[in-house]
Amino acid sequence: MAVSTGEILARHHGRRDAILGLIGELVGFESKSGEEEMLNRLAAFVHGKLAALAENGNYGSEIRVESLVEAGSGTHIRARFPFGRGTVGSDETGSEVGGGILVIGHLDTVWPTGTLARKPFGVTEDGRATGPGIFDMKAGIAILIEALQTICELGLETKRPVTVLLTCDEEVGSRKSRWLVEEEARRAVVALVLEPPLTGGIVKTGRKGIGTFTVRAIGRAAHAGLDPRNGVNAIVELGHQTIALAGLTDYERGVTVNVGTISGGTGINVVPAEAEARVDLRFWDQGDGERMVELIRGLRPCLAEARIEVTGGINRPAMQRSAGNLALFAQAKSLAAEIGFELAERAVGGGSDGNFTAALGVPTLDGLGVDGAGAHAENEHIIVDDIPRRTTLLTRLLQTL
């Protein structure tokens, strides 16, 4: 069925309040990372919305929706939308066949359970919708459901099958879902990530790689008044290590090392025997990241008789601003012009599951959620009037890639 971009945009303008209502429903499910029961409730709701497309759409008999339970964490959702283009998977020899579009999002947020009571979903007079997790990334999930509904109900043609993957632990590093993201990426020709854009609707074509470490200093306890010379102060040792770690930052190369938290000691009158720091590493170039890992793991004690233990490493590879990513952006920019707005791109310091897909060589476009601001912050919000055009952009990407 031939339907113009303008007609799809008009449909989404007409359904703006319905989409906003769905966003409000999603915000109403609190879903902090690790809150298994809460995340399972949200996953069941989203599963139902996606499964409903199988009952009402032109492609219903093909659609498959799975809930993948991750004990202790929640539930991932995976849905297949062949759209008449066959399936993406492996043949009897194990060789990959087909090649589809992978759409990635996450169900979890950073907001503690109970936040909704003081920050309920709402719409302000200046056209902002607010609520915990609305920008990162309940709005992105809502426009995905709407885009898929548009394709199904109107019987729109696509060039490729689509796989949707919504995980439950992205905000805590995707420790249990990384394998799943990478498995689906190997079957895809492009990946679209529903993370929020930069304020102004700017999408993301590159992201820094991320490493996390625990640096533990071990000394020897002693009475601070009676026998201080017999002690080895672990906090002092960790202070030396903190200065050394800060010295590894190289802004010109885009390498930053941040000592984010420090803990240690048992009492003011005790020379502390142990102290610990949590360290964040960011880098643009994978080689720089690996070099930093060697330096951090190679830390040596400064105080006599002190010891240093380092654990951790890189948990998200760098998402290079590759030619494939930029070509994918160029197509999105052209579609945005058809819709009536200008799309811009940028590389950013934060990470997402797009780091994993891009590291496997899959062209990846990130930040396709609704415009707004305040991810993880008290002022988190989306721009209501951006909903129709972002939904239309996502629909057209699913059609044309």
Side-chain angles (χ1 to χ4, degrees):
M1 179 178 179
V3 179
S4 70
T5 298
E7 290 173 309
I8 295 172
L9 180 61
R11 170 188 167 92
H12 293 149
H13 271 297
R15 289 186 50 77
R16 189 199 72 171
D17 289 348
I19 304 169
L20 182 60
L22 176 57
I23 293 171
E25 288 185 275
L26 292 167
V27 171
F29 287 88
E30 294 191 285
S31 55
K32 178 176 171 56
S33 307
E35 296 285 345
E36 185 175 11
E37 182 178 351
M38 307 295 279
L39 282 157
N40 287 343
R41 290 176 184 172
L42 174 58
F45 176 81
V46 173
H47 183 126
K49 289 294 183 181
L50 293 172
L53 300 179
E55 300 172 2
N56 302 317
N58 288 284
Y59 301 107
S61 62
E62 302 179 338
I63 298 170
R64 298 290 181 270
V65 184
E66 303 171 84
S67 290
L68 309 174
V69 177
E70 192 70 73
S73 296
T75 300
H76 313 305
I77 301 293
R78 179 171 60 193
R80 312 282 193 195
F81 293 82
F83 293 135
R85 300 297 178 182
T87 59
V88 180
S90 300
D91 62 19
E92 63 276 5
T93 69
S95 300
E96 293 181 7
V97 295
I101 300 169
L102 175 61
V103 185
I104 308 171
H106 61 87
L107 302 169
D108 59 324
T109 76
V110 302
W111 293 98
T113 300
T115 302
L116 198 62
R118 67 175 181 81
K119 284 176 62 67
F121 171 77
V123 180
T124 65
E125 292 183 357
D126 61 352
R128 299 181 177 194
T130 62
I134 193 168
F135 185 50
D136 187 13
M137 52 166 289
K138 301 293 176 69
I141 296 171
I143 66 170
L144 169 65
I145 293 170
E146 181 68 23
L148 293 167
Q149 181 175 324
T150 295
I151 293 172
C152 289
E153 290 187 356
L154 300 184
L156 302 181
E157 290 189 356
T158 69
K159 293 182 176 181
R160 301 182 183 278
V162 174
T163 294
V164 171
L165 182 61
L166 304 174
T167 64
C168 66
D169 66 342
E170 191 275 343
E171 293 288 6
V172 288
S174 306
R175 290 189 293 271
K176 294 185 177 181
S177 61
R178 176 176 179 172
W179 72 270
L180 188 57
V181 174
E182 292 179 335
E183 178 181 80
E184 294 302 331
R186 291 186 180 97
R187 299 169 176 169
V189 294
V190 294
L192 305 176
V193 186
L194 297 171
E195 290 285 344
L198 294 174
T199 298
I202 300 168
V203 296
K204 303 161 185 178
T205 55
R207 287 182 177 274
K208 283 188 174 183
I210 302 173
T212 58
F213 303 84
T214 298
V215 177
R216 185 166 172 252
I218 303 168
R220 183 170 59 243
H223 193 292
L226 298 177
D227 193 23
R229 289 186 177 182
N230 193 44
V232 179
N233 194 310
I235 290 178
V236 172
E237 176 61 45
L238 192 59
H240 287 293
Q241 301 301 327
T242 297
I243 293 170
L245 287 163
L248 296 177
T249 290
D250 184 342
Y251 289 116
E252 290 188 3
R253 295 191 64 85
V255 174
T256 59
V257 180
N258 181 63
V259 179
T261 65
I262 285 181
S263 60
T266 57
I268 192 171
N269 60 345
V270 180
V271 175
E274 294 186 6
E276 181 177 289
R278 292 282 290 158
V279 181
D280 177 279
L281 166 67
R282 307 275 168 146
F283 52 91
W284 288 121
D285 179 79
Q286 193 67 22
D288 283 342
E290 292 168 2
R291 182 170 58 86
M292 287 296 108
V293 170
E294 291 183 7
L295 291 172
I296 293 171
R297 288 179 176 169
L299 291 172
R300 295 292 180 264
C302 294
L303 301 182
E305 299 185 73
R307 291 186 291 123
I308 295 294
E309 294 179 353
V310 180
T311 57
I314 293 172
N315 62 5
R316 290 193 192 277
M319 174 180 166
Q320 303 288 345
R321 193 168 173 267
S322 66
N325 291 2
L326 293 174
L328 184 51
F329 165 73
Q331 183 161 347
K333 182 179 176 68
S334 177
L335 292 171
E338 289 181 18
I339 296 166
F341 71 100
E342 184 175 356
L343 191 67
E345 59 85 19
R346 192 177 302 166
V348 299
S352 81
D353 285 341
N355 290 58
F356 300 136
T357 60
L360 291 173
V362 180
T364 300
L365 189 60
D366 204 332
L368 288 166
V370 179
D371 192 12
H376 303 186
E378 286 293 320
N379 68 326
E380 185 172 12
H381 67 272
I382 61 167
I383 307 300
V384 173
D385 284 345
D386 193 51
I387 293 172
R389 63 186 187 183
R390 293 285 158 168
T391 310
T392 302
L393 176 60
L394 182 57
T395 304
R396 294 290 286 132
L397 283 168
L398 296 178
Q399 280 187 276
T400 61
L401 290 174

